[in-house]
Amino acid sequence: MKVVAFSGSARKGGNTALLLQRVLDVLAAEGIDTELVELAGQKAQGCTVCLKCREMRDGQCHGRRDAINACIDKMAEADGIIIGSPVYFADITPETKALIDRAGYVARANPEMLARKAGAGVVAVRRAGAIHALDSIGHFFGISQMLTVGSSYWNVGIGGPAGAVVEDDEGMATMETLGRNMAWALKLTAGSRSAL
């Protein structure tokens, strides 16, 4: 089993990556392979709605040539997907939105690609807008026929400056519970996707 986490932050190694890494550490301790992909420093452009993904049905986006297709490949191979974003004006970053929109179009063109995989959103926030951003990520899982994994509280960590999120004890504990819950869900559903 494998879980891949995507950080849509423009800041490499920032608060979003720290939250995601906490979840991945718990998953790794449960014997699950993990990978963290940071979009920081990579080109990640929005969807052009060319609809070539629906025409080709090959699990790829044909409208852009950037980092997103590699992310879509990783999603297709993974059993669990975590998408993380800091809050930008009460929502997700443009990079996170590009990932969701383009992977979403490809998944709609290839309906079994993400169906019944486990998914979770994670949000880093300074002050407000976290629930709306978390909800934006959650819509991607729902329309992709994925199972959404929750925690003991909203999957949110609070911290403004880089690294400050590790001081949010409740947020870090929430990430640990999220990791345990995702491991449980993956083990419970292992092999069941083959019934698609």
Side-chain angles (χ1 to χ4, degrees):
M1 286 180 286
K2 181 168 184 178
V3 173
V4 62
F6 299 93
S7 173
S9 176
R11 184 185 290 168
K12 192 168 179 68
N15 288 329
T16 304
L18 291 170
L19 291 169
L20 292 170
Q21 192 59 59
R22 183 62 61 101
V23 181
L24 295 179
D25 288 345
V26 172
L27 287 162
E30 293 274 349
I32 296 168
D33 291 333
T34 64
E35 181 180 3
L36 175 62
V37 177
E38 295 191 69
L39 293 176
Q42 298 188 59
K43 196 173 185 181
Q45 298 174 298
C47 181
T48 64
V49 196
C50 69
L51 301 180
K52 285 285 188 185
C53 59
R54 292 186 181 184
E55 179 184 325
M56 304 296 283
R57 297 185 189 279
D58 61 357
Q60 292 290 285
C61 171
H62 297 273
R64 303 274 195 184
R65 297 199 183 280
D66 57 15
I68 300 296
N69 269 332
C71 294
I72 294 170
D73 287 342
K74 289 178 186 296
M75 287 181 174
E77 295 166 5
D79 301 291
I81 299 164
I82 305 172
I83 298 176
S85 178
V87 174
Y88 280 22
F89 287 87
D91 213 334
I92 56 179
T93 65
E95 294 82 4
T96 308
K97 183 66 170 150
L99 175 64
I100 286 172
D101 287 351
R102 289 172 57 199
Y105 262 104
V106 171
R108 302 277 295 158
N110 302 271
E112 284 77 38
M113 190 175 93
L114 301 179
R116 299 183 186 157
K117 293 186 181 203
V122 168
V123 171
V125 63
R126 181 190 67 82
R127 189 169 179 88
I131 301 308
H132 180 77
L134 191 60
D135 191 42
S136 292
I137 297 169
H139 289 298
F140 168 72
F141 300 130
I143 200 165
S144 299
Q145 302 180 63
M146 294 176 65
L147 309 172
T148 305
V149 179
S151 186
S152 54
Y153 196 69
W154 305 115
N155 302 336
V156 171
I158 299 170
V165 76
V166 297
E167 297 171 17
D168 176 12
D169 293 336
E170 184 178 6
M172 287 291 137
T174 299
M175 297 304 122
E176 291 172 11
T177 302
L178 176 60
R180 287 192 299 274
N181 289 347
M182 182 165 270
W184 178 85
L186 289 171
K187 291 173 184 177
L188 184 69
T189 60
S192 64
R193 292 193 73 245
S194 60
L196 288 172

